[in-house]
Amino acid sequence: MAEDRATLSEIATAAGVSVPTVSKVLNGRPDVAPATRRRIQDLLDRRSYTARRAPAVPGAAGLIDLVFRDLGSPWAMQILDGVEDLAYRAGVGVVVSAVHGRSRSRPDRRWIEQLSKRRCDGVLLVLSDLSPSQQGQLEELGIPVVIIDPAGQPGAGIPSVGATNWSGGVAAAEHLLDLGHHRIAVIGGPPTVPCSRARVDGYRAAMNAANRKIPAGYVRHGDFTSPSGYREMNALLDLAQPPTAVFACADEMALGAYEALYERGARVPDDISIVGFDDLDSARWAAPPLTTVRQPLAEMAGMATRMLLSLVAGEGLDSHRIELATPLIVRHSTRRLA
């Protein structure tokens, strides 16, 4: 009688090898010593361990993993739509999951085991990163990774797709400057996140190019959520000389700023002009519709999926880092200063 089915890590421990070595045996890889292979295979047989079936076409993807840091974010659905549309047309299945654990910036230790167990062919990471150990394990398993809008600097050799965040920050600030605003504040995301730093740096560059001094207290930091935009907008309104315009580095923070202004009896754009970043569906339906920098999330997701499928097929990439343009979408939340 077969023993109870074990996890991949339990089989690796029993065999005295690593999880990637067990996965090599499951995948029929030749680079495992014969004695080690027999020991692992014996354990797999006794534990009734069944691997996910291989793709019908050799070299083609059958299943990819899409891993989010935050599945509840409003832009997650735009990215999911971009991945699912291309994956569907390619006949590829998609497994969607969220990062768990204290850091919520990278998958936990069980993640590699789960990938190997279902024989995932490739991974798309959204605003997440990998530890050097995880990157090494995926390389051993032969599972390629592409990062969408990296939260940190991707490890050496990891392809990524992002947006021109710095240029978007420049465009937002220049738009407000062109409307005659001098007292322009910014609400950035976490200062440790590169895309947030780039947007704030773009704002600073535009202000410096226009010889506009940034007053003390005009550079604020939230966490890309509406409550943080609400909080930081209130802090700006409490200054002795509040701004006449605000660049919020995420639409969600811009909508939080709307709420703070409404509670204070201030009107957008009559009293304060607001520019966001992302161009979520909610930006178009806000009152008034939000002027924002469009981050092409679905296009970024589609591009990353194409790159991943190329890697699974053993093809090379023309570039390991792609940035898509971030155009300014002018609506009704900004106006010329009288």
Side-chain angles (χ1 to χ4, degrees), residues 5 26 44 47-52 117:
R5 192 180 191 279
L26 281 169
L44 290 170
R47 303 295 181 90
S48 302
Y49 194 98
T50 304
R52 181 178 66 84
K117 205 156 73 172

Side-chain angles (χ1 to χ4, degrees), residues 18-157:
S18 66
V19 169
T21 301
V22 176
S23 185
K24 286 180 182 181
V25 174
L26 281 169
N27 291 323
R29 293 267 294 273
D31 49 339
V32 179
T36 302
R37 180 183 299 277
R38 285 194 297 272
R39 186 165 71 252
I40 293 171
Q41 191 61 60
D42 180 61
L43 285 165
L44 290 170
D45 292 341
R46 285 194 285 116
R47 303 295 181 90
S48 302
Y49 194 98
T50 304
R52 181 178 66 84
R53 67 177 178 83
V57 180
L63 186 72
I64 61 176
D65 268 54
L66 174 60
V67 184
F68 288 92
R69 186 174 68 183
D70 181 6
L71 256 176
S73 66
W75 41 258
M77 291 303 100
Q78 292 192 30
I79 290 176
L80 179 57
D81 285 346
V83 172
E84 177 60 25
D85 179 63
L86 197 141
Y88 175 79
R89 288 188 276 118
V92 176
V94 180
V95 175
V96 180
S97 60
V99 171
H100 296 281
R102 287 177 296 179
S103 74
R104 292 187 63 80
S105 64
R106 61 178 50 151
D108 65 20
R109 58 184 179 80
R110 294 175 296 172
W111 178 65
I112 297 286
E113 177 187 318
Q114 292 166 349
L115 284 182
S116 183
K117 205 156 73 172
R118 60 177 171 263
R119 291 187 64 189
C120 164
D121 298 302
V123 175
L124 292 170
L125 288 176
V126 184
L127 278 175
S128 300
D129 61 2
L130 296 172
S131 69
S133 173
Q134 288 172 328
Q135 186 178 344
Q137 285 178 296
L138 289 176
E139 288 174 356
E140 285 190 49
L141 290 168
I143 299 176
V145 178
V146 177
I147 296 180
I148 302 174
D149 199 10
Q153 296 301 321

Side-chain angles (χ1 to χ4, degrees), residues 173-185:
E174 285 184 342
H175 172 65
L176 294 170
L177 287 164
D178 289 344
L179 292 175
H181 294 275
H182 300 164
R183 302 201 312 271
I184 304 170

